[in-house]
Amino acid sequence: MSAAMDRYNPHELESRWQRVWREEKSFEVPNPSEPAAADRSKKSYVLEMLPYPSGSLHMGHVKNYTMGDVIARFRFRNGFTVFHPMGYDAFGLPAENAAINTGLHPAQLTRINTDNINQQLHRLGVSIDWSRELATCDPEYYKWTQYFFLRFFERGLAYRKEAAVNWCPSCATVLANEQVLQGACERCDTDVETRSLAQWFFRITDYAERLLEDFELLESWPERVITMQRNWIGRSEGAEVIFRVEDMDIDIPVFTTRPDTLFGATFFLLAPEHELVDTLVAGTPREQAVREYAMRTRLKTAVDRAETDREKTGEFTGRYATNPVNSEKIPIYVSDYVLMEYGTGAIMSVPAHDQRDFEFARKFGIEVREVVSGRLEEGEAAELGDGATMNAAFEAGGVMVNSGSFDGMNNLEAGRAITRWLESEGKGKAAVSYRLRDWLVSRQRYWGAPIPIIYCEKCGVVPVPEQDLPVLLPEVEDYAPRGQSPIAANLDFVNTVCPGCEGAARRETDTMDTFVDSSWYFLRYTDPHNNAEAFNRNVVNYWMPVDQYIGGVEHAILHLMYARFFTKVLYDLDMVDFPEPFHNLFTQGMIYYRGAKMSKSKGNVVNPDEHVEKYGADTLRLYILFMGPPELDVEWQDQGIEGTYRFLGRVWRLVNEVVERTADTGYTPDFTGVEKRALKLVRKSNQTIAKVTADISERYRFNTAISAVMELVNDSYLAKDALFETDEGGGVLRFMARTVVSLLDPFAPHICAELWERLGHERLWEETWPKADERFIQEETYELVLQVNGKVRDRVQAPANAGKDDLLELARGSQKIATCTEGKKVVKEIVIPGRLVNLVVK
């Protein structure tokens, strides 16, 4: 056997081509010398979500980065200047918890893991521009994270307040609302408690409306991601109504979507965490009972509190609020089914028209007053509703009753009229409310960017001067969670001098949520070595927005919404020229194994390194995209990767046999006059080019693209022996081999680079993507189905360009059709070119 026909050895050839790419810096892309004037029409920013370096890459990462690499390589070969960088989301709980588990310092473990991930990605052959590699834990990066915090602070978008917050007792830190899933910590699944702490927030609620409106600016996002964000932002239209506690001269605003039911409000509820609760009960006989109830509530999860079928509990505060529409004084209770993240944490309770309020009223003996009746037609005389006999709340629409001058009106129109009246009296106004709450960014943990704030008894809250950035994360011996940041134990860090009065002061010891780091990393990639600014404006405007972003749907609320908010703030600060960071988004499905999502905790992780070692990177890349549509969850099958490895072996043998048995004359035949068997393979090759091109560029159907190449390889094996007999056939086989290698290149770049060279060419990744010859896309003939009265009676070959009359002639010429229609009258002829002829007879 000649050298060209040696056995497929993936490790040897993959090492070789990875070395070539590394030494030649094949995928490094410099910024334009004059980015402000550069042509952006052929730039393409392809980006996958950056990984947490809390361990090695798993199969989900392999799928994510292989998908991005296919898109990047495809676009590069289609003439685009492809920008494809990589970095590490290195701060935060994942890396810190991993460090605590191993006993290594977070900085040391993070460096070990980033080096390992770097090696894994190199072994996978991903076409990364490694000159732009970054880690969010590097001072050169988080200096600018702190800089942005200060800009937010200057604009009033970063603020500190005492607030009821989500507390994870396992992680020993606060969590943003978005990090609480079903009442549990999204990181460790521990039930979340409620605590009252002074915390830093970003005012994302100021951008709620723009976050909704600007979905129109996106080119292509999955509808379910947009729906998830819409639901989380939770826009509601209604009225803000002022209830007054007369004896304390306190106004309590309430947002309601049902101002039509105001006359039916017979009591008032506050969330136990509401800031006015302590004020209302201080020094009263109800103080102890209410405080104890509030403390018990903090031990309950938000999910438990929101359960609709749970028995209602509460405590009377001893205070009363005045209903603005009828001046009635109604009792104020605290109840755990009222949550601070909805509305204002206070609700007017209308038991006749809200089931939870109804159950509360029945338990505590409070009046139920019907004000919307479903028994009347609009315009009829209002009847007094009998709330005392109601068995459940009536929550539908109807006609107003017990509502003074609004009686007899449709409740929707009455709601608008009541709102107008409130506005005229200065007791309320039309309003829009959002479920979205401000982003809580304080973390009582060590491994994060220090918040650049100083506290001075004389000057108050003082921002760290920009020239003093970065505020370096100090060394601490004990970084385990203690309920406050471990940094607080480092007095050399804490004790400082006020930049205003130069008196004694102390530093903020909380660190920033890691989602702050990942909300702008895609901007830093464009100018990662800039020490004078976070990025050059002209450079970032050249590359951004990201043309194709790829990652998991689990980041729909957290990362994706935070990144959108961050970009809008920078847009308003006149630092960038675009309000949205990601024009196109693709979310890939999960990988399951043995019926469950791959997870270390479930013990069902398949190690990608083992498969690369056994089969090679190309096999793993190809298999992980061949498993199914990329947006769907798929089940890992060990036997499947074996089959993929055998397929690459077949490609290796086929192409090497073509190299061995045909001459590369450099001549590309016209193919129009080749004999039938050769023409069939020419046609199949061009059809495969067309399909693979469409599947990658238009649909991201990587699995069907790979399947199409497999079909071409199978057809080539069946045809090759006969075609090797003639020079013409040899030329066709050369064309087929180039087509197979060229189309397979984005998926399996190492083997294809090697085979391309053996075919007599150089640098496949720099070759123009093949274009299908339109003359050979359509088949010369196709199978025409012949029916009589809708039943299939025969199948014949029809010319691809045959018209209606020709197809009818073929049908009449069929012996089987003639037998079925003999002695009968044809009353209708149905012809669908390319598919069938149906004769309707009587």
Side-chain angles (χ1 to χ4, degrees), residues 137 186 341 385 425 653 749:
C137 66
E186 59 96 21
E341 60 253 39
E425 295 292 317
R653 292 189 297 275

Side-chain angles (χ1 to χ4, degrees), residues 177 231-236 341-343 433-437:
N177 289 339
N231 291 342
W232 189 262
I233 295 168
R235 187 183 192 277
S236 300
E341 60 253 39
Y342 295 99
S433 181
Y434 302 91
R435 179 177 182 267
L436 180 68
R437 287 293 173 264

Side-chain angles (χ1 to χ4, degrees), residues 266-285:
T266 56
F267 64 103
F268 194 88
L269 288 180
L270 291 174
E273 307 89 352
H274 197 286
E275 60 185 1
L276 286 178
V277 169
D278 287 345
T279 302
L280 293 174
V281 301
T284 72

Side-chain angles (χ1 to χ4, degrees), residues 324-375:
V325 295
N326 55 19
S327 299
E328 290 182 0
K329 287 183 167 51
I330 58 177
I332 302 174
Y333 287 77
V334 294
S335 180
D336 61 5
Y337 76 81
V338 183
L339 304 177
M340 282 301 299
E341 60 253 39
Y342 295 99
T344 62
I347 63 173
M348 60 175 219
S349 298
V350 185
H353 305 293
D354 182 278
Q355 185 60 30
R356 294 185 305 171
D357 293 349
F358 179 85
E359 293 168 6
F360 190 96
R362 287 290 188 242
K363 178 173 179 177
F364 288 90
I366 302 172
E367 178 190 359
V368 177
R369 182 187 304 160
E370 184 181 25
V371 293
V372 178
S373 173
R375 301 184 297 273

Side-chain angles (χ1 to χ4, degrees), residues 276-568:
L276 286 178
V277 169
D278 287 345
T279 302
L280 293 174
V281 301
T284 72
R286 302 299 306 162
E287 182 175 8
Q288 183 175 352
V290 171
R291 287 183 181 276
E292 289 177 354
Y293 180 80
M295 288 295 294
R296 292 195 302 273
T297 298
R298 290 174 181 173
L299 301 177
K300 299 177 182 179
T301 69
V303 171
D304 288 339
R305 290 171 62 178
E307 285 289 341
T308 56
D309 57 355
R310 186 172 58 86
E311 183 182 1
K312 302 300 179 288
T313 64
E315 286 289 341
F316 177 46
T317 65
R319 301 287 184 180
Y320 293 83
T322 301
N323 187 331
V325 295
N326 55 19
S327 299
E328 290 182 0
K329 287 183 167 51
I330 58 177
I332 302 174
Y333 287 77
V334 294
S335 180
D336 61 5
Y337 76 81
V338 183
L339 304 177
M340 282 301 299
E341 60 253 39
Y342 295 99
T344 62
I347 63 173
M348 60 175 219
S349 298
V350 185
H353 305 293
D354 182 278
Q355 185 60 30
R356 294 185 305 171
D357 293 349
F358 179 85
E359 293 168 6
F360 190 96
R362 287 290 188 242
K363 178 173 179 177
F364 288 90
I366 302 172
E367 178 190 359
V368 177
R369 182 187 304 160
E370 184 181 25
V371 293
V372 178
S373 173
R375 301 184 297 273
L376 299 175
E377 297 292 333
E378 186 175 355
E380 291 184 8
E383 300 176 358
L384 293 180
D386 185 10
T389 62
M390 293 179 72
N391 295 318
F394 175 69
E395 297 179 327
V399 175
M400 301 296 293
V401 297
N402 293 324
S403 299
S405 61
F406 302 98
D407 283 354
M409 295 177 66
N410 173 275
N411 73 295
L412 294 178
E413 176 54 37
R416 292 188 285 268
I418 289 171
T419 301
R420 290 192 294 270
W421 180 85
L422 287 168
E423 201 155 349
S424 68
E425 295 292 317
K427 297 178 178 180
K429 60 182 179 180
V432 174
S433 181
Y434 302 91
R435 179 177 182 267
L436 180 68
R437 287 293 173 264
D438 280 342
W439 177 7
L440 195 162
V441 298
S442 291
R443 295 294 177 267
Q444 292 69 45
R445 296 292 292 256
Y446 170 66
W447 192 236
I451 294 175
I453 291 292
I454 292 171
Y455 301 104
C456 172
E457 288 190 8
K458 180 179 179 181
C459 302
V461 178
V462 182
V464 172
E466 184 180 330
Q467 64 268 22
D468 292 344
L469 299 180
V471 177
L472 294 173
L473 183 65
E475 289 286 341
V476 297
E477 293 183 3
D478 183 3
Y479 48 84
R482 295 284 185 269
Q484 67 172 354
S485 173
I487 301 173
N490 188 319
L491 297 182
D492 289 339
F493 174 83
V494 174
N495 297 322
T496 188
V497 174
C498 174
C501 68
E502 298 185 354
R506 61 182 178 86
R507 291 188 186 276
E508 171 65 74
T509 58
D510 283 356
T511 54
M512 275 187 259
D513 179 10
T514 186
F515 283 103
V516 180
D517 305 319
S518 60
S519 291
W520 73 280
Y521 77 102
F522 42 88
L523 305 173
R524 182 65 176 176
Y525 278 146
T526 67
D527 201 10
H529 308 299
N530 191 332
N531 295 320
E533 53 190 342
F535 44 76
N536 177 277
R537 179 170 181 162
N538 290 331
V539 169
V540 82
N541 286 333
Y542 173 78
W543 289 115
M544 289 290 294
V546 173
D547 295 285
Q548 183 61 63
Y549 200 35
I550 306 163
V553 72
E554 66 270 21
H555 298 294
I557 301 300
L558 290 161
H559 164 60
L560 287 170
M561 190 162 66
Y562 290 158
R564 295 183 62 219
F565 160 67
F566 218 90
T567 303
K568 292 180 189 307

